[in-house]
Amino acid sequence: MKFAYKFSNLLGAFYRHGNLCFSKDGNSVISPVGNRISVFDLKNNKSETLPVSTTKNISCLGISPDGNLAILIDEDGAAVLVSLVTRAVLHHHHFHSPVHSVSFSPDGKKFVITKENVALMYHAPGRNREFNAFALDKSYYGPFDETTCIDWTDDSKCFAVGSKDMTTWIFGAERWANLIYYSLGGHKDIIVGCFFEKDSLDMYTVSQEGTLCVWESDTELEGLRNDDDDVEEIIREDGETRGDVIKGRTDTPKQVEGIKNVRYSQRSKHYFNKAGDFNKLTAAAFHKKTHILVTGFASGAFHLHELPEFDLIHSLSISDQRISTIAMNPTGDWIGFGCSGLGQLLVWEWQSESYVFKQQGHFNNMNSLAYSPDGQYLVTGGDDGKVKVWNTNSGLCFVTFTEHSSSVTNVAFTSSGFVVVSASLDGTVRAFDLHRYRNFRTMTSPRPAQFSSLAVDSSGELVCAGSQDSFEIFLWSMQTGRLLEVLSGHEGPVSSLCFSPVQSVLASVSWDKTVRLWDMLDSWETKETLRLTSDGLAVTYRPDGQELAVASLDGEITFWNPQTGGQAGSIAGRHDLQMGRKETEKITAKQSAKGKSFTSLCYSADGESILAGGQSKCVCIYNIKEHVLMKKFEISCNLSLDAMEEFLDRRKMTEFGSLSLVDEGTGDGDGVELSLPGVKRGDMSSRRFKPEIRVSSLCFSPTGRSWAAASTEGLLIYSLDASLVFDPYDLDMDVTPASIRQQVKKKEWASAILLSFRLNEMPLIREVLEAVPYDQITVVCSSLPDVYVDKLLNFVASTLEKSNHLQFYLSWAQCLLTLHGQKLKNRSGAVLPTVQQLLKSIQRHSDDLSKLCDWNIYNIRYAAALSKQRGMKRTAAESLSDEEEEEEVAMDSGACFCKVIKKR
């Protein structure tokens, strides 16, 4: 069960390339992240990455109108049909060429994809179980260049396709006699978006040079007539129907006798750019119900216009990079923006002019990561000089520190969990406060140095950083920020540092093939020097401090006893790295693997296994006692990354070298395909490149139930999946679900719990535990053997995180800790991950309940103030009516008095 980890989430990446989509209810945005898709719940502020992936980066995706199906298409045209309900892959299909866009019809019966200069209509997969979920219905030809965008009419009768040849083509989804095809011009650049008006054939077309054309049709949607004679059907040689083919031409379609063809006229033409100002329009979206047009530009600005009057509602710059895609939710309140240059994902509420969601990952490589002591937070540092702190429950970044001016090489949490320390190549070590979100301490060296490693002791008082140019280790006080000592002795760059969890001993490893142990209590002198067979790259202590693991350049992991200085064992892991061959390498992957090694090590929470990763797509987990490989995790299958395949594609090899090394053009996406002499548009220095797959840092969660890897893809989280493993304990023939339920009926609670743990099936344990009466919890806990106390506490800690029975499971935890606390303390090393998991679960529920209680208190106070205000108004009205009655009585009495006076 210790190795039953599976991919659970992807952090640190929010958008890469492709189009955004909103869910049916409009509360979630679906974003392509490399070869995966992530769902960001905007209402509950959570993220989830689906456990499905394509072969290469996703270029476009389409969501069915009911929100149950998604079509993911990668750069090569390989499509995957995914169920968003079960998170499972339903079908694979290959279009054999890059696809530019995909769109479902509003009724969900058809979907259209555009590739090259053709639009293909398929029958959408429905509730009927079909052998081929992608059945081609019609092929539409018309544009002379590549197609760019699609839009449907509300009744799914027609659709429009924009093209790079500056034309927009309108096709009938059915065989209409008066609308077979129609071509619209009027632009001088690539069509970025084409949109139908609500319940109409009227159109809006937007082009890249910043022009909007408004087209008016002389026919309503109800005026389309059926006809079966204008479409030819293509039948292959094997007799299978390939679908109808509709070929558009530049001339006017032939007119059926007695039926008038649909015609368009240009009502108006508008320009987004002012005179003399050129800002390329890169993305557009239109909401039919509210008539709102959103356009994004290469400068990072966006405009909101109301159509057809073209009234400017709003204009704002949200980024300094080009806006790649725009999407609007079904209600039209929220607008999603994706910027591929920086990996930004933003959701903007245009009515209140505020951000609903604003996230950005590391722009460059992610170098290091660290878990907080309770496992709730993750901190990462990257080449972009930023330090980001992530919530592991929501998967989102809640604070970013930008004080560093160069790459962040290492990060760490202090033991309190409220201070983050980072080391950078800019020569500073900075401490950040997670209460006030500020940089409260900056530590520097007497001479400028580039810090490549970092460590903080268990008390949080000592901070040390290793230099890669002066070969020294600098030691500071966290309280004062003063430099305490400079530790010299290494003859090469210091590659890694680690403090002992139980002693004031610092371990440092260097390229000089030594590991030095420094005593922090005895004048900071070298306590022990361990000799390695090759350059040292990484060092880490076991959680109990009784063992030291070192990764070296020859691909070996050696284990040392820090008390005696003797070597306890070694693992030769070079052949487990499973290297791939880069496109620029002249030697095979097998030969290049001889020079590769592990660059990151991490012990599991119980200290029985160790994680190792390096310049490879694999992360290895070894059993330390047996020195054998237990499992190998492949962190990515994305072929858009370099060094993924072991052998190069022979079809790309020519007598002049590999075709993949040819620079096909710029990578800024502004339409400049070839950097030819005399071309003035586009950035001539821009290049396409494939990032190399690698694992830069690994870290096990203190709870022991998950581990994280910082890689080229982002921050990958792997969690323990207990549902896949049957791991019984002390099992015999009498331990069956029937016998366990029989014990529950007899109210033999302790016996039922022991038997359920021996069978070790989680649903059955939960059933037995929740059957125990509340007043019997203390009695049952007191009668449990010590072996089962740990198991029950671990089960309570893991179940409490997702269960709604808070008081019930908290009572179990309280009784176990109260009655068996002293015995648990004696074996604290083994129980610590369970206690930290329990603490994390309690803290999570505390945060959720505190928010709910605050909201309820606010509502109660508001209702009380409202009722008080209404009571005051009612009292004022009653007093006013009493005064009026008194005035009337006074007037009546005055009138009577006057009458009496007159009579006298």
Short mmCIF file of all heavy atoms in Angstrom, two decimals, residues 129-149:
data_model
loop_
_atom_site.label_atom_id
_atom_site.label_comp_id
_atom_site.label_asym_id
_atom_site.label_seq_id
_atom_site.Cartn_x
_atom_site.Cartn_y
_atom_site.Cartn_z
N ARG A 129 -24.95 3.48 -27.86
CA ARG A 129 -23.61 2.90 -27.84
C ARG A 129 -23.18 2.57 -29.27
O ARG A 129 -23.76 1.71 -29.92
CB ARG A 129 -23.59 1.65 -26.97
CG ARG A 129 -23.89 1.95 -25.51
CD ARG A 129 -23.74 0.72 -24.65
NE ARG A 129 -24.00 1.02 -23.25
CZ ARG A 129 -23.91 0.13 -22.26
NH1 ARG A 129 -23.60 -1.12 -22.56
NH2 ARG A 129 -24.16 0.48 -21.03
N GLU A 130 -22.16 3.27 -29.72
CA GLU A 130 -21.71 3.12 -31.10
C GLU A 130 -20.29 2.58 -31.12
O GLU A 130 -19.47 2.91 -30.26
CB GLU A 130 -21.76 4.47 -31.82
CG GLU A 130 -23.17 5.06 -31.88
CD GLU A 130 -23.15 6.58 -31.96
OE1 GLU A 130 -22.19 7.18 -31.46
OE2 GLU A 130 -24.10 7.15 -32.51
N PHE A 131 -20.00 1.78 -32.14
CA PHE A 131 -18.65 1.26 -32.28
C PHE A 131 -17.69 2.38 -32.65
O PHE A 131 -16.60 2.49 -32.09
CB PHE A 131 -18.62 0.16 -33.35
CG PHE A 131 -17.24 -0.36 -33.61
CD1 PHE A 131 -16.60 -1.17 -32.68
CD2 PHE A 131 -16.55 -0.03 -34.76
CE1 PHE A 131 -15.33 -1.65 -32.90
CE2 PHE A 131 -15.27 -0.49 -34.99
CZ PHE A 131 -14.66 -1.31 -34.05
N ASN A 132 -18.09 3.25 -33.56
CA ASN A 132 -17.28 4.40 -33.96
C ASN A 132 -17.98 5.66 -33.50
O ASN A 132 -19.02 6.04 -34.02
CB ASN A 132 -17.08 4.42 -35.49
CG ASN A 132 -16.16 5.54 -35.92
OD1 ASN A 132 -15.51 6.18 -35.09
ND2 ASN A 132 -16.10 5.78 -37.22
N ALA A 133 -17.40 6.30 -32.50
CA ALA A 133 -18.02 7.50 -31.94
C ALA A 133 -17.84 8.71 -32.86
O ALA A 133 -18.53 9.71 -32.69
CB ALA A 133 -17.43 7.80 -30.57
N PHE A 134 -16.93 8.64 -33.84
CA PHE A 134 -16.68 9.75 -34.75
C PHE A 134 -17.12 9.32 -36.15
O PHE A 134 -16.33 8.78 -36.93
CB PHE A 134 -15.20 10.12 -34.75
CG PHE A 134 -14.75 10.85 -33.52
CD1 PHE A 134 -14.76 10.23 -32.28
CD2 PHE A 134 -14.31 12.17 -33.57
CE1 PHE A 134 -14.36 10.87 -31.14
CE2 PHE A 134 -13.90 12.83 -32.44
CZ PHE A 134 -13.92 12.19 -31.22
N ALA A 135 -18.40 9.54 -36.47
CA ALA A 135 -18.93 9.18 -37.78
C ALA A 135 -19.04 10.44 -38.63
O ALA A 135 -19.80 11.37 -38.30
CB ALA A 135 -20.30 8.52 -37.64
N LEU A 136 -18.30 10.49 -39.75
CA LEU A 136 -18.28 11.67 -40.60
C LEU A 136 -19.61 11.83 -41.32
O LEU A 136 -20.13 10.89 -41.92
CB LEU A 136 -17.14 11.55 -41.61
CG LEU A 136 -16.94 12.74 -42.55
CD1 LEU A 136 -16.61 14.01 -41.80
CD2 LEU A 136 -15.85 12.44 -43.58
N ASP A 137 -20.15 13.04 -41.27
CA ASP A 137 -21.42 13.33 -41.93
C ASP A 137 -21.21 14.09 -43.23
O ASP A 137 -21.65 13.67 -44.30
CB ASP A 137 -22.32 14.13 -40.99
CG ASP A 137 -23.69 14.40 -41.58
OD1 ASP A 137 -24.13 13.61 -42.43
OD2 ASP A 137 -24.32 15.41 -41.20
N LYS A 138 -20.52 15.22 -43.17
CA LYS A 138 -20.30 16.04 -44.38
C LYS A 138 -18.91 16.66 -44.32
O LYS A 138 -18.35 16.89 -43.25
CB LYS A 138 -21.34 17.16 -44.47
CG LYS A 138 -22.78 16.69 -44.67
CD LYS A 138 -23.71 17.90 -44.79
CE LYS A 138 -25.16 17.47 -44.96
NZ LYS A 138 -25.69 16.80 -43.75
N SER A 139 -18.37 16.93 -45.52
CA SER A 139 -17.11 17.66 -45.67
C SER A 139 -17.40 18.94 -46.44
O SER A 139 -18.06 18.89 -47.48
CB SER A 139 -16.07 16.82 -46.42
OG SER A 139 -15.82 15.60 -45.73
N TYR A 140 -16.91 20.06 -45.95
CA TYR A 140 -17.19 21.36 -46.56
C TYR A 140 -15.89 21.99 -47.05
O TYR A 140 -14.95 22.20 -46.28
CB TYR A 140 -17.86 22.30 -45.55
CG TYR A 140 -19.20 21.82 -45.05
CD1 TYR A 140 -19.30 20.95 -43.96
CD2 TYR A 140 -20.38 22.23 -45.66
CE1 TYR A 140 -20.52 20.51 -43.50
CE2 TYR A 140 -21.62 21.80 -45.21
CZ TYR A 140 -21.68 20.94 -44.13
OH TYR A 140 -22.90 20.51 -43.68
N TYR A 141 -15.85 22.28 -48.33
CA TYR A 141 -14.70 22.94 -48.95
C TYR A 141 -15.13 24.33 -49.40
O TYR A 141 -16.26 24.53 -49.83
CB TYR A 141 -14.18 22.14 -50.14
CG TYR A 141 -13.56 20.82 -49.76
CD1 TYR A 141 -14.36 19.67 -49.64
CD2 TYR A 141 -12.21 20.70 -49.53
CE1 TYR A 141 -13.81 18.45 -49.30
CE2 TYR A 141 -11.64 19.48 -49.18
CZ TYR A 141 -12.45 18.36 -49.07
OH TYR A 141 -11.89 17.16 -48.73
N GLY A 142 -14.21 25.27 -49.35
CA GLY A 142 -14.51 26.62 -49.77
C GLY A 142 -13.32 27.54 -49.60
O GLY A 142 -12.84 28.15 -50.56
N PRO A 143 -12.79 27.67 -48.37
CA PRO A 143 -11.63 28.55 -48.17
C PRO A 143 -10.42 28.04 -48.96
O PRO A 143 -10.27 26.85 -49.21
CB PRO A 143 -11.39 28.47 -46.66
CG PRO A 143 -12.68 28.01 -46.08
CD PRO A 143 -13.30 27.13 -47.10
N PHE A 144 -9.56 28.99 -49.34
CA PHE A 144 -8.35 28.64 -50.08
C PHE A 144 -7.14 28.52 -49.16
O PHE A 144 -6.09 28.08 -49.59
CB PHE A 144 -8.07 29.71 -51.16
CG PHE A 144 -9.13 29.76 -52.21
CD1 PHE A 144 -10.14 30.71 -52.15
CD2 PHE A 144 -9.15 28.86 -53.27
CE1 PHE A 144 -11.13 30.76 -53.11
CE2 PHE A 144 -10.13 28.91 -54.23
CZ PHE A 144 -11.13 29.86 -54.16
N ASP A 145 -7.28 28.95 -47.92
CA ASP A 145 -6.19 28.87 -46.96
C ASP A 145 -6.71 28.19 -45.69
O ASP A 145 -7.86 27.77 -45.63
CB ASP A 145 -5.65 30.28 -46.64
CG ASP A 145 -4.20 30.24 -46.18
OD1 ASP A 145 -3.75 29.15 -45.77
OD2 ASP A 145 -3.54 31.29 -46.20
N GLU A 146 -5.88 28.11 -44.69
CA GLU A 146 -6.25 27.41 -43.46
C GLU A 146 -7.42 28.08 -42.76
O GLU A 146 -7.53 29.30 -42.74
CB GLU A 146 -5.05 27.35 -42.51
CG GLU A 146 -3.92 26.47 -43.03
CD GLU A 146 -2.77 26.39 -42.03
OE1 GLU A 146 -2.83 27.13 -41.03
OE2 GLU A 146 -1.85 25.61 -42.26
N THR A 147 -8.27 27.25 -42.15
CA THR A 147 -9.42 27.76 -41.41
C THR A 147 -9.00 28.12 -39.98
O THR A 147 -8.05 27.57 -39.44
CB THR A 147 -10.52 26.69 -41.36
OG1 THR A 147 -9.93 25.45 -40.97
CG2 THR A 147 -11.15 26.51 -42.73
N THR A 148 -9.71 29.06 -39.37
CA THR A 148 -9.29 29.59 -38.07
C THR A 148 -10.35 29.49 -36.98
O THR A 148 -10.00 29.32 -35.81
CB THR A 148 -8.89 31.07 -38.20
OG1 THR A 148 -9.99 31.80 -38.76
CG2 THR A 148 -7.66 31.22 -39.09
N CYS A 149 -11.65 29.60 -37.31
CA CYS A 149 -12.67 29.69 -36.26
C CYS A 149 -14.00 29.14 -36.77
O CYS A 149 -14.22 29.03 -37.99
CB CYS A 149 -12.84 31.14 -35.78
SG CYS A 149 -13.16 32.31 -37.11
#
